[in-house]
Amino acid sequence: MAASFQGIAKALCRLSPYLLHSRQYQLCLHRLPVGPCRGLSPFVPPSQLFCKAASLQDENTAQAAETLLRYKDRPWDYFESEEYIERYGTNPVWAGYRRNHKGGIPPQKTRKTCIRGDKICGNPCPVCRDPNVIIHHQNVKLLQQFISPHTGMVYDPTRTGVCMKQQKKLHEAINTARDQGFLPFQIPYVEFSGEDYSNSHDAVGSTPPPQLLTSGETWYKWYSEITPDETEVAKVKKTYKAYLKC
């Protein structure tokens, strides 16, 4: 009798491909009585298994959506959460990242984008792989990870591995943050001498009065020292013969 119940259960489960891959199907087979009945039902209705699987799937989807919307309005809170510390520690988001590429020499430029429509490339960049890392001009803790503390310049994408699309967003967010005062400007110190501010130089001084010229003298002395080429002069005279007065 027990063998017949087990055969019927297996035949019904083969009709539903979903039950073949579900965990509830395995539990159903393990609970089937081999010997005398122990008070357990030899067959679990498929409707209950479908309801349980659907409820679990809905819960996982709801949790994923809640996780994505958690830091949407305040993306800077993610960098103070335990989730970020557990994943990255004290390192920036791009630390230890290595892009997949052919050959031993990495390419000179990163990829244009990691997400094209619904398709995500393999091994996406540090910004695209974590949905909680949101580029915003008020997300100072993220922007500071891509700025050199010594020079104040933005790191090259070949060092951080960020795709060109996210790199462009980083530049725009950093410029906006500096304009609005969220990030400081790095202005180098330059020593100026007194000669830089004087107006005695000929280039910035007052224009001298014109010289009194006598007949036959040129305005510039060096102009009289130039001897023109006779061939070029003849060509010019021939070209403008109609306009020259004899």
Side-chain angles (χ1 to χ4, degrees):
M1 187 68 179
S4 62
F5 276 124
Q6 197 171 11
I8 294 172
K10 290 182 178 179
L12 291 174
C13 291
R14 287 195 191 97
L15 298 176
S16 176
Y18 176 78
L19 296 178
L20 290 173
H21 301 282
S22 63
R23 189 176 180 181
Q24 286 81 359
Y25 166 71
Q26 298 176 2
L27 294 176
C28 174
L29 294 181
H30 285 299
R31 289 184 178 180
L32 289 175
V34 180
C37 182
R38 300 180 182 178
L40 296 176
S41 176
F43 177 69
V44 180
S47 60
Q48 296 182 7
L49 300 180
F50 279 117
C51 293
K52 290 181 181 179
S55 62
L56 291 174
Q57 187 176 5
D58 294 340
E59 289 179 1
N60 295 333
T61 305
Q63 290 179 358
E66 184 181 357
T67 303
L68 293 176
L69 297 175
R70 189 187 310 170
Y71 305 105
K72 184 177 181 180
D73 297 332
R74 297 175 60 88
W76 47 87
D77 291 343
Y78 173 63
F79 295 87
E80 298 179 356
S81 62
E82 296 180 358
E83 182 181 359
Y84 176 83
I85 297 175
E86 183 180 357
R87 183 170 183 177
Y88 300 101
T90 58
N91 300 322
V93 296
W94 52 268
Y97 173 80
R98 184 181 183 276
R99 176 191 170 189
N100 294 338
H101 57 82
K102 296 182 180 179
I105 301 176
Q108 298 297 323
K109 292 183 180 181
T110 57
R111 61 172 68 95
K112 294 182 179 180
T113 179
C114 300
I115 303 174
R116 296 182 179 180
D118 298 335
K119 296 182 179 180
I120 303 176
C121 67
N123 191 18
C125 72
V127 179
C128 296
R129 68 182 177 183
D130 194 347
N132 294 325
V133 177
I134 302 174
I135 298 176
H136 194 271
H137 66 274
Q138 295 182 0
N139 196 357
V140 179
K141 292 186 177 181
L142 173 64
L143 301 180
Q144 287 178 345
Q145 296 181 1
F146 294 89
I147 300 176
S148 174
H150 308 289
T151 61
M153 299 177 63
V154 183
Y155 287 133
D156 193 81
T158 55
R159 178 177 181 180
T160 59
V162 178
C163 63
M164 301 305 297
K165 181 179 180 180
Q166 300 294 344
Q167 184 72 13
K168 183 179 180 180
K169 292 183 179 180
L170 280 171
H171 278 285
E172 294 176 355
I174 289 173
N175 293 333
T176 306
R178 286 174 174 173
D179 292 339
Q180 297 186 7
F182 292 102
L183 289 175
F185 282 93
Q186 297 287 342
I187 301 177
Y189 175 74
V190 179
E191 294 184 357
F192 295 96
S193 59
E195 297 179 357
D196 297 331
Y197 295 97
S198 71
N199 57 357
S200 60
H201 195 270
D202 295 339
V204 295
S206 58
T207 304
Q211 300 178 0
L212 298 176
L213 300 178
T214 58
S215 59
E217 293 183 358
T218 57
W219 183 272
Y220 300 101
K221 296 181 179 179
W222 54 267
Y223 190 76
S224 60
E225 299 176 357
I226 298 177
T227 304
D229 189 4
E230 297 295 338
T231 307
E232 297 296 332
V233 172
K235 290 181 181 180
V236 173
K237 288 182 178 180
K238 184 178 180 180
T239 304
Y240 298 97
K241 182 179 181 180
Y243 302 95
L244 296 176
K245 295 181 180 180
C246 298

